[in-house]
Amino acid sequence: MEPTDSAPATSNITVRRGEPLVVVTDVNKNFGDLHVLKNINTVVTRGEVVVVIGPSGSGKSTLCRAINRLETIDSGSITIDGMELPAEGRALAQLRADVGMVFQAFNLFAHKTVLENITLGPIKVRGMSKADAEEKAMALLERVGVANQAHKMPAQLSGGQQQRVAIARALAMTPKLILLDEPTSALDPEMINEVLEVMIDLANDGMTMIVVTHEMGFARRAADRVIFMADGEIVEETTPERFFTDPQSTRAKDFLSKIL
Ligand code: ADP
Ligand code: MG
């Protein structure tokens, strides 16, 4: 999203928009003999929405997981808000709270209600009172359109509803950025749009987002930048408009000819 003068001065996100938030420098990652991330360099600025696209196996999930330190890296560095990713302990829990993550499979706690799924992190990690956490959770459920499901168990919800709850759960921690790894690819087609609408709303609100998706509609409407990965490399990095209409590399052209 572009910086805007009309945004309220109280919005921290907006005021600090444009500063580097995630800095990935010369990152390499191997799984055994497989070189999965090859010298990855990129900077995500505050308020930016980056779509990561590319064939299966190109390293998109590994990159997301490395940014959240669900995966270690073999060389290079990743900083968030100027801080090297912590290896363990309380600092790591704090990092995970600052970096919201939404996965392809809904990953809600199956034995907790929707409301408990959302309040757990804020109470345990942020030290919020139960009452405050519940009030905030209800507001977030309202925002993603599932407030009437608050007291149900995840399995009673549709996939689209569960994924919206997963987004609300990430937001409940007041994260600095949100990573969404193919958030709509496990959904039935009729549920994809309801999740994309929530994501577009977040993007418009100035949330910093890294989104792995092949949903071109989302990329065109919400992304500031597309990163195209293939074989562990960033092959192209450009605007959605340019990427979809005028891809430069053979690998991007091949890929787009298969998904379009
Ligand atoms: P993408 O998300 O783009 O489909 P991934 O990041 O999931 O790609 O995977 C990149 C490559 O790393 C693939 O070849 C995959 O099989 C391999 N890989 C991913 N996770 C592991 C793991 N934990 N152990 C071994 N190989 C893995
Ligand atoms: Mg993946």
Side-chain angles (χ1 to χ4, degrees):
M1 303 283 110
E2 292 300 309
T4 143
D5 292 328
S6 58
T10 50
S11 167
N12 210 20
I13 291 168
T14 308
V15 169
R16 299 177 65 189
R17 222 171 237 188
E19 289 176 13
L21 181 61
V22 183
V23 180
V24 178
T25 312
D26 296 335
V27 164
N28 286 278
K29 169 74 182 175
N30 298 276
F31 286 117
D33 292 339
L34 199 61
H35 197 176
V36 179
L37 296 177
K38 298 175 183 164
N39 227 44
I40 300 291
N41 287 282
T42 196
V43 176
V44 178
T45 59
R46 218 175 276 277
E48 195 179 19
V49 178
V50 175
V51 160
V52 182
I53 192 166
S56 175
S58 54
K60 307 179 298 294
S61 293
T62 306
L63 179 61
C64 286
R65 292 169 58 80
I67 291 171
N68 205 15
R69 218 185 179 291
L70 290 167
E71 207 68 79
T72 57
I73 54 176
D74 296 326
S75 65
S77 93
I78 300 176
T79 61
I80 293 178
D81 225 354
M83 305 251 297
E84 248 354 283
L85 299 193
E88 56 188 15
R90 221 187 134 60
L92 182 56
Q94 183 71 41
L95 168 87
R96 296 254 169 84
D98 284 344
V99 182
M101 180 112 189
V102 175
F103 300 90
Q104 178 176 345
F106 319 122
N107 281 87
L108 297 173
F109 306 117
H111 302 293
K112 297 200 179 294
T113 66
V114 164
L115 187 64
E116 287 165 346
N117 261 277
I118 298 181
T119 57
L120 193 71
I123 292 170
K124 293 228 158 167
V125 181
R126 297 287 194 216
M128 260 179 135
S129 73
K130 186 163 180 252
D132 286 352
E134 287 186 349
E135 190 182 328
K136 182 170 187 186
M138 287 310 299
L140 287 169
L141 287 172
E142 191 74 51
R143 179 172 179 186
V144 302
V146 287
N148 54 352
Q149 312 291 321
H151 300 289
K152 292 192 181 161
M153 303 305 281
Q156 295 174 278
L157 273 57
S158 73
Q161 289 172 328
Q162 288 185 53
Q163 202 59 314
R164 287 183 281 150
V165 172
I167 292 172
R169 183 174 62 177
L171 292 175
M173 301 296 267
T174 328
K176 291 178 178 168
L177 84 144
I178 294 199
L179 300 165
L180 300 106
D181 190 359
E182 302 208 32
T184 61
S185 54
L187 296 175
D188 291 335
E190 73 272 19
M191 293 171 189
I192 291 176
N193 277 337
E194 67 192 43
V195 174
L196 292 178
E197 289 301 326
V198 168
M199 290 161 55
I200 288 167
D201 172 56
L202 278 185
N204 289 338
D205 200 38
M207 176 58 74
T208 310
M209 299 166 75
I210 300 176
V211 187
V212 180
T213 185
H214 297 167
E215 292 290 338
M216 277 204 317
F218 173 79
R220 281 181 183 272
R221 277 177 66 189
D224 297 298
R225 180 155 53 108
V226 168
I227 291 179
F228 173 71
M229 288 183 73
D231 300 323
E233 291 174 302
I234 294 181
V235 177
E236 286 191 41
E237 202 167 353
T238 182
T239 61
E241 171 67 19
R242 183 119 197 268
F243 181 72
F244 291 115
T245 57
D246 188 22
Q248 301 297 300
S249 63
T250 313
R251 283 186 287 187
K253 285 176 193 164
D254 278 356
F255 175 74
L256 286 171
S257 73
K258 284 174 194 138
I259 67 159
L260 296 186

